[in-house]
Amino acid sequence: MDWPRPQTGLGAGLDRQRQKAGSPGYLSLDSYKESAESALFFSNGFLARQQRASLLAINSDGSLRRRNTARLGGLTILDKSMLDFFARGSKGKQDPLANASSAKAYAEKLKQEFGAGAHDKVAELLAGLNSPSLELSADQLEAVLALNQETQPLHDTLCVQYLMNARMPKVLEAQLRAQILNYGKQFTDFYQYALPVESDNPNGVRVQEHLPLVLARMFYYLAEYAKWQYVRNYQPDEVFWLNVNQLYRFAEQRGWDSRPVFLFGEKNGATTVQDQYLALHMMSVLSNGNLNARQVNFSYELLALLSNRMTISKSYFADASFCVSLAEPKPAARVKGEAGEWARYWNTAELVEILHGWAIVMEASRIPAELKRLIEPGIDASLLRILTREWAAKPVLFERAERVAVSDRQVEVAHRLHLLHKLIRRPDEEQMQGQRGVDKDSYEDAANIRIYGFVTSRKRDKTLSPSPATSSLSLSGETAEAGLPQEFQRWSLENVSQTGLGVSLDVMGNEWVSLGSLIGFREPEQEGWSLGIIRRVKRTGRERIYLGVETLSTRPLAASLRPTDARLIDPTLPPDQVWLAGHISLFMPYRRAGKVVNALILPLSLYMLGKQFYMTARGKHFQIALGKVLEKGSDWCMAEVELVKALDKLPVAM
C-alpha cells in the first residue's frame, strides 16, 4: 500500500495507479523514505520500478489477488532483504517469529537488553522480513500481532516524548519523528501480506480470523501518520486518501468493517475498522492549521474515545453531517446532497452532544473523568467549543470579517517582546529627546544639577552620542543596549480584513514561526507598528507557508511597570527588559467578544492575578491591577488590566 508521495510527484503517482487499476482502483505495496527537507514520504518500491511488478491488485469485485514476483531474464530477482529472511534462524537460534509465544519472549528479551531501544530493533526486524517473496503463515501473522502488542507501549512513550519536548533541536526532532513513523510503516507493510490470503489456502481460515484486527491496526497507523502530518502543518496527499478509501472498501465488502476487536489488548475498549476509519476522516476536518501540536493530539485522542458514536451509512439521509467517496482520492467533506454509489454518510450529533456537555463541565472549573488523563496546558473548554463547531451536525455560520485579496504588497515583520517594545517606543523617545533639547529643567538635567551643581555641554554631547553596549542603569532608568536592526524580514501580503491579514513566506529563515507567536508588522511606507498573533499556519508547498494573523492593536503604547510593593526592580535584569527604571510592557485597547477592554502584554514571569503595578505610558502614570490572562506565549502573556487610580507622579524610588 502506498504511503504518501511528495506533492511534486502527485500527478504521476495517480496516473500510474489509475492505469494499473482501471476501476475501481489499485492497491500497491511500496515502501518509503523521508525527505530531510519536507518530511514527506516517497515510494521507492520493494524492487526496481522498471523491473518489478506489484504484489497486490484489486479485482473488479473488490477482492485482492497476488501478482507474480518480478522476473528478469527468466530469473526471479532477490534483494538483500530476501536473503536476510532466508538466512534468519539458520544458525540454530530460535526464530522469534515462529509463533506468538516466541514473539512475546523475544520482545521481553529486547526490552531487557535494549530498554526503549527495543522499539527500533523490532522495526529493523520487520524491515528485513518485508519482501514480495514472503509467503505468510498463520503462525507468523500471530507472532507479528503479538510483537506489535508487546512493543506498542514503547511506541506510545516515544509519541509522548515528542509532544512534550516542543523546543528540542531540529536534528533530534527529525530523528524522533522518523523513529515513530518507521515503526508504524513497517507493521503496516507487513499486515498487507495477510489481505490477499484466501480461506482455501493452507492456514487461510486462521489468517482470515485475524483480518479484522489487522485492518483495524492498519487504519490506526494510517491515522497516526495523518496526525503527525497535521502536527507539522502538512497535508496527506491524494495518493494517501485514495489508498485509505479503497482499503476501507475492501474491508466493507468482506464484512470486516464492523466486527469488534481489541486493538492492543483488552485494557482499552473494543473498536472496529469503521471506528478507525471515521477517526481518520474526522481528523482531516481539523486541517485548517489553527490548532497547535498538543491540541491536534488531544483531538486525535478524543476521536479514539468517541468515533464509535458515529455510524457509516451507504444510503444518503437528510441528517447526514459528512460524507466521503470510496472511489475518490479525497478526505471527508460536508454533505451537499446525494453523492453517488460509492459515497458513505454519517451524522455527528451524538459526538457533538458529548463534547458540549464536557465543555460545560470544564467551564465550571471541573474536569470530566473521561478527560483527566488527556488534560494538559493549552487544553481547555475553548478548544472543546472549537471542536464542537468544526464537527457540528450541520455547518455553523459565524460572523467573519470580509477578506480582500491584494497583490504586490509586503509587510515588515519583527518578533520578540523586547524588540517590539523598542520599535513601539521609538517615536516617544524621539519626542522626549526633542523636548529635552528645549527644556533645560528635564528630570535628567535636574538630577545632574542636584548632584554636580551644573549641566555642561559635555553632558549634552553625551546625550546625543550613541550609548555604549553596557548593562548599567542610569539615574533616569534608561539602559544602554543594542540598537535596532537596519532591515526587517518581509512577508508577502495576500489578503487583508478588518481583523487581520494573510501573508505567505519562505520556510527558510522563518523557523521561529509557530501558532500563537506574537509579532509586530507594518507596511514599509508606514511609521507605526501594529501588534498581531499568528492564528493559522498552513503549508502551501515544500518551501512556502501561509499565515493567518489576527490584529491585536494598530496603536499599542510602550509602557513601564514597577511593582507597588518594591521600590527598585532587580538590577541584574538584562538591559533590554528594562525601560524608565521599570519592566517593559505594551498597553493597548483590545476588542474581545464585542467589548473593548484594556490589555497589557508583559513578561510571563511578572504575571500574578490581582498583582498591582505602577504603570507609566506616554508620560502619564497609573496604578493598575492585573486581571485574567487573555493570551499566553512562551515568555509573554496578555492580561486584562483594571485601573486602580491615576497618579500625578510616581513615588520616588530610592
Side-chain angles (χ1 to χ4, degrees):
M1 180 174 179
D2 264 357
W3 284 72
R5 293 180 172 84
Q7 300 287 349
T8 54
L10 179 60
L14 283 174
D15 290 343
R16 182 169 60 254
Q17 287 211 353
R18 288 167 181 158
Q19 289 170 5
K20 291 183 178 180
S23 177
Y26 171 79
L27 192 65
S28 65
L29 272 170
D30 285 352
S31 62
Y32 71 94
K33 68 179 181 181
E34 183 177 10
S35 166
E37 296 181 355
S38 64
L40 294 176
F41 292 86
F42 298 76
S43 295
N44 292 331
F46 283 102
L47 306 173
R49 288 185 180 276
Q50 298 176 352
Q51 300 173 347
R52 306 175 185 186
S54 181
L55 187 63
L56 298 181
I58 296 181
N59 294 319
S60 59
D61 62 354
S63 62
L64 291 179
R65 68 178 185 274
R66 181 179 291 275
R67 293 180 182 267
N68 294 329
T69 54
R71 300 180 68 84
L72 182 63
L75 297 175
T76 300
I77 303 173
L78 298 178
D79 63 6
K80 184 178 182 298
S81 64
M82 300 182 197
L83 297 175
D84 290 342
F85 167 67
F86 289 120
R88 186 166 50 85
S90 61
K91 299 180 180 180
K93 295 182 180 179
Q94 183 181 3
D95 185 355
L97 299 181
N99 52 50
S101 299
S102 62
K104 289 180 181 179
Y106 178 69
E108 190 61 33
K109 179 181 177 182
L110 286 179
K111 291 177 187 177
Q112 292 177 358
E113 184 174 354
F114 298 102
H119 178 275
D120 292 344
K121 293 297 180 180
V122 168
E124 290 175 9
L125 174 66
L126 288 180
L129 180 66
N130 292 329
S131 69
S133 63
L134 175 64
E135 292 292 339
L136 185 68
S137 68
D139 286 337
Q140 200 171 42
L141 177 59
E142 290 171 355
V144 172
L145 287 170
L147 189 64
N148 192 181
Q149 181 170 324
E150 293 297 316
T151 55
Q152 181 64 27
L154 299 176
H155 183 69
D156 294 336
T157 301
L158 270 186
C159 295
V160 172
Q161 183 181 345
Y162 183 98
L163 290 168
M164 296 299 291
N165 291 276
R167 296 187 179 183
M168 74 177 86
K170 294 295 182 182
V171 174
L172 181 58
E173 184 223 0
Q175 178 183 348
L176 196 57
R177 187 175 64 254
Q179 288 178 269
I180 292 170
L181 293 175
N182 185 50
Y183 180 87
K185 179 260 173 187
Q186 295 299 339
F187 277 104
T188 303
D189 276 357
F190 179 86
Y191 289 147
Q192 292 173 93
Y193 291 98
L195 302 184
V197 176
E198 300 293 341
S199 57
D200 56 355
N201 287 359
N203 298 319
V205 174
R206 285 177 59 195
V207 169
Q208 290 202 347
E209 287 176 354
H210 295 295
L211 284 186
L213 176 58
V214 165
L215 287 163
R217 287 192 183 175
M218 289 178 70
F219 275 110
Y220 174 85
Y221 289 120
L222 289 169
E224 185 179 72
Y225 168 79
K227 178 189 76 172
W228 293 116
Q229 291 288 82
Y230 297 139
V231 162
R232 304 185 63 243
N233 304 304
Y234 284 101
Q235 301 285 326
D237 63 19
E238 292 185 352
V239 175
F240 175 86
W241 291 115
L242 179 64
N243 286 326
V244 163
N245 292 336
Q246 289 182 357
L247 185 61
Y248 179 75
R249 177 174 169 243
F250 167 74
E252 185 182 70
Q253 290 180 338
R254 293 296 184 92
W256 296 323
D257 58 315
S258 300
R259 191 176 299 180
V261 295
F262 292 102
L263 200 59
F264 296 108
E266 298 183 6
K267 61 180 180 180
N268 296 319
T271 186
T272 65
V273 170
Q274 185 178 124
D275 294 342
Q276 298 297 317
Y277 181 69
L278 284 169
L280 172 53
H281 276 286
M282 293 305 290
M283 277 292 296
S284 71
V285 177
L286 306 176
S287 61
N288 294 323
N290 56 348
L291 300 180
N292 61 35
R294 293 187 179 185
Q295 291 171 334
V296 170
N297 185 67
F298 176 76
S299 306
Y300 171 83
E301 296 289 348
L302 273 187
L303 287 169
L305 290 175
L306 301 177
S307 60
N308 59 357
R309 304 307 177 100
M310 301 173 284
T311 304
I312 289 179
S313 170
K314 295 182 180 180
S315 304
Y316 171 77
F317 58 100
D319 292 332
S321 305
F322 293 90
C323 73
V324 64
S325 174
L326 302 185
E328 294 184 7
K330 296 179 181 179
R334 286 285 180 182
V335 173
K336 297 181 180 179
E338 195 166 353
E341 175 187 2
W342 296 109
R344 300 293 181 264
Y345 310 88
W346 62 93
N347 177 269
T348 60
E350 187 176 356
L351 165 71
V352 170
E353 184 179 355
I354 295 172
L355 291 179
H356 179 69
W358 286 346
I360 292 175
V361 172
M362 293 184 70
E363 285 171 346
S365 300
R366 291 180 288 125
I367 299 177
E370 299 90 340
L371 302 183
K372 283 185 178 179
R373 68 179 181 86
L374 302 178
I375 297 300
E376 56 182 322
I379 307 303
D380 52 22
S382 62
L383 174 59
L384 289 179
R385 292 297 183 193
I386 293 174
L387 298 180
T388 301
R389 184 188 69 206
E390 296 293 336
W391 292 336
K394 296 297 180 183
V396 177
L397 301 178
F398 55 94
E399 186 178 354
R400 187 173 185 174
E402 181 182 359
R403 288 182 286 185
V404 179
V406 299
S407 59
D408 299 327
R409 288 170 62 181
Q410 293 184 321
V411 289
E412 293 182 331
V413 179
H415 67 109
R416 299 187 185 282
L417 179 58
H418 67 86
L419 177 57
L420 297 177
H421 193 274
K422 288 181 188 178
L423 295 171
I424 291 168
R425 80 190 188 213
R426 181 164 59 176
D428 296 342
E429 290 181 331
E430 291 175 351
Q431 185 179 5
M432 290 170 61
Q433 283 196 356
Q435 291 177 350
R436 285 177 182 175
V438 177
D439 186 4
K440 301 298 184 181
D441 296 326
S442 67
Y443 175 82
E444 191 172 54
D445 286 350
N448 281 276
I449 290 173
R450 184 172 66 252
I451 296 172
Y452 302 110
F454 61 92
V455 177
T456 67
S457 59
R458 176 176 174 272
K459 170 65 184 66
R460 287 194 292 270
D461 294 341
K462 184 179 180 182
T463 302
L464 297 175
S465 63
S467 300
T470 64
S471 60
S472 59
L473 188 67
S474 73
L475 291 174
S476 65
E478 303 284 359
T479 53
E481 50 190 294
L484 294 172
Q486 297 298 317
E487 295 184 359
F488 299 95
Q489 288 180 306
R490 293 198 176 194
W491 294 349
S492 299
L493 191 59
E494 300 288 338
N495 58 72
V496 295
S497 70
Q498 290 183 344
T499 58
L501 62 156
V503 295
S504 62
L505 54 143
D506 291 330
V507 174
M508 294 294 293
N510 292 292
E511 290 81 3
W512 59 270
V513 169
S514 64
L515 208 62
S517 295
L518 178 69
I519 64 169
F521 61 90
R522 69 175 182 181
E523 294 195 47
E525 63 274 9
Q526 293 179 340
E527 175 129 4
W529 288 80
S530 300
L531 286 180
I533 289 183
I534 297 175
R535 297 296 192 192
R536 188 182 305 275
V537 181
K538 198 168 186 178
R539 292 198 180 244
T540 56
R542 293 180 61 183
E543 302 297 336
R544 296 286 288 179
I545 53 177
Y546 172 85
L547 304 181
V549 179
E550 178 192 357
T551 301
L552 297 178
S553 175
T554 56
R555 293 183 298 173
L557 299 178
S560 173
L561 296 179
R562 284 171 47 192
T564 57
D565 56 357
R567 294 195 171 188
L568 287 175
I569 64 172
D570 185 355
T572 63
L573 281 173
D576 56 15
Q577 298 293 322
V578 180
W579 186 57
L580 297 179
H583 300 279
I584 61 172
S585 62
L586 298 171
F587 178 80
M588 62 187 172
Y590 177 61
R591 182 174 293 276
R592 182 179 180 87
K595 297 181 180 180
V596 177
V597 299
N598 292 324
L600 190 71
I601 296 178
L602 66 159
L604 186 59
S605 59
L606 290 183
Y607 178 78
M608 181 182 296
L609 181 63
K611 187 173 183 179
Q612 295 193 7
F613 288 92
Y614 297 126
M615 182 181 77
T616 300
R618 288 276 175 92
K620 297 181 179 180
H621 312 293
F622 306 91
Q623 185 173 337
I624 61 169
L626 299 181
K628 63 181 180 180
V629 172
L630 303 175
E631 301 286 346
K632 186 165 66 173
S634 58
D635 59 354
W636 61 272
C637 69
M638 182 171 75
E640 286 188 15
V641 171
E642 179 185 352
L643 176 64
V644 177
K645 61 182 178 180
L647 303 173
D648 294 330
K649 60 180 181 179
L650 289 177
V652 177
M654 298 300 293

